[in-house]
């Protein structure tokens, strides 16, 4: 059994602005998690979250940038569990940006949820990504409505 998370979000901003929120470490931390992300293929980075030891999560997500197509596509590995050496979840996150007349369609594909051991992470993260997408929407709309820089 292998599952995949797929979500689509529509933003009123052009792909260049949405891309910035996906690839700038400080902006990424505002809507996703604290991180040491760098937009470099091969860069290994981590997201930090609250540990949930009862469900086998040490609070760290170990990632590596796998593919970059500026303003169009970002792919990175996503590994988590109780240790970096033996992750229970070994998956891939793919962000795809498509320009539309009114802004950008952002697609998320999170693949690699294999076997019964990943059923709970799949279930939790499927709902979690929806909340995260809403946070990104709020951050982008705050930026758009910010008139302090005018």
């Amino acid at each position: 059994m292998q599952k995949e998370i797929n979500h689509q979000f529509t933003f009123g901003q052009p792909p260049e602005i949405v891309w910035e929120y996906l690839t700038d470490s400080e902006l990424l931390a505002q809507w996703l998690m604290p991180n040491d992300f760098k937009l470099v293929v091969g860069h290994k980075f981590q997201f930090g979250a609250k540990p949930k030891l009862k469900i086998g999560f040490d609070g760290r997500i170990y990632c590596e940038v796998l593919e970059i197509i500026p303003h169009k596509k970002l792919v990175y590995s996503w590994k988590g569990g109780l240790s970096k050496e033996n992750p229970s979840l070994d998956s891939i996150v793919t962000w795809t940006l498509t320009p539309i007349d009114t802004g950008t369609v952002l697609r998320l594909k999170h693949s690699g949820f294999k076997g019964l051991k990943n059923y709970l992470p799949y279930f939790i993260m499927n709902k979690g990504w929806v909340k995260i997408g809403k946070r990104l929407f709020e951050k982008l709309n705050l930026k758009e409505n910010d008139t302090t820089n005018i």
Side-chain angles (χ1 to χ4, degrees), residues 51-58 82 120:
K52 293 182 172 61
L53 300 177
K54 287 183 181 180
I55 63 167
F57 177 55
D58 67 359
L82 287 176
L120 185 59

Side-chain angles (χ1 to χ4, degrees), residues 22-136:
L22 291 175
T23 60
D24 179 282
S25 180
E26 289 180 26
L27 294 174
L28 191 58
Q30 290 178 15
W31 63 273
L32 188 51
M33 287 178 266
N35 64 84
D36 59 343
F37 178 86
K38 290 183 184 167
L39 189 59
V40 176
V41 171
H43 176 67
K44 291 178 169 54
F45 67 100
Q46 294 181 28
F47 287 111
K50 184 178 178 183
K52 293 182 172 61
L53 300 177
K54 287 183 181 180
I55 63 167
F57 177 55
D58 67 359
R60 289 270 168 243
I61 299 147
Y62 305 94
C63 305
E64 180 178 350
V65 178
L66 302 175
E67 182 180 356
I68 300 166
I69 302 173
H71 307 141
K72 293 182 181 179
K73 186 176 183 184
L74 175 64
V75 182
Y76 46 83
S77 62
W78 180 286
K79 297 179 182 184
L82 287 176
S83 74
K84 180 179 182 179
E85 295 75 28
N86 190 21
S88 55
L89 176 62
D90 187 351
S91 60
I92 303 290
V93 170
T94 302
W95 296 103
T96 306
L97 296 85
T98 305
I100 57 175
D101 289 343
T102 56
T104 304
V105 172
L106 177 64
R107 289 181 181 86
L108 163 73
K109 179 171 92 170
H110 192 162
S111 58
F113 294 88
K114 298 175 186 169
L116 289 175
K117 71 178 180 178
N118 285 158
Y119 181 76
L120 185 59
Y122 166 82
F123 182 76
I124 291 169
M125 294 178 76
N126 193 26
K127 289 185 175 203
W129 280 119
V130 172
K131 290 179 185 175
I132 289 167
K134 288 178 183 176
R135 281 201 307 255
L136 176 56

